[in-house]
Structures are given as structure tokens and as C-alpha cells.
Amino acid sequence: DKLLPFAFVSHTRFFARNFENQFGTLAHTTQLGGGLQYQFSLRFSLNAFYATSPLGKNYRAYQSLSLGTRVIL
């Protein structure tokens, strides 16, 4: 059994065509966060993390708290 802290940074761009039918960046956002993962075994773990979106263009800022599982069959 292990308790592992982690941090992450991600940047996402959203692409689309505008009214003049030109392809380009519609919006973008940067997400920052961190959390904890508890690993029960090599095949099963639980994680909980917090994320915030402090930077972006044409994209709403938000915060999230997530709980997840990972199972390897």
C-alpha cells in the first residue's frame, strides 16, 4: 500500500472554423492541480485531486474536485 502525492499542468486548445471559413484557435485554457493517489496493489488504486483553470481565452475559469479509480484487468 502506498500514498502518492502528484501535481499536474495541462494546456488545451480548441480549434474551429470561423465565419470566413478560416481554421484557427477558438479558445484555450491552462489547468493546474494536484492530489493524492492511494495504491492498494499494482492493479488497483484510488485518486482524489483538485484542479483550477486560472488562464485562458474564450474559456470559462472553473475549479473542480474529482475522485477516480484505476483498475488494470
Side-chain angles (χ1 to χ4, degrees):
D1 296 354
K2 295 180 185 177
L3 184 62
L4 306 166
F6 65 91
F8 67 90
V9 175
S10 69
H11 185 77
T12 305
R13 289 186 175 269
F14 301 94
F15 297 96
R17 293 191 183 275
N18 63 14
F19 291 115
E20 289 83 30
N21 206 23
Q22 297 171 335
F23 192 74
T25 302
L26 175 68
H28 63 87
T29 185
T30 300
Q31 191 176 43
L32 306 171
L36 293 172
Q37 177 172 314
Y38 187 76
Q39 191 166 357
F40 292 96
S41 67
L42 290 174
R43 295 179 173 254
F44 182 69
S45 65
L46 289 173
N47 64 39
F49 66 91
Y50 169 79
T52 184
S53 179
L55 304 170
K57 176 184 171 195
N58 295 336
Y59 197 81
R60 187 171 73 102
Y62 67 93
Q63 298 174 345
S64 66
L65 184 61
S66 301
L67 180 65
T69 61
R70 176 174 287 175
V71 178
I72 299 173
L73 302 175

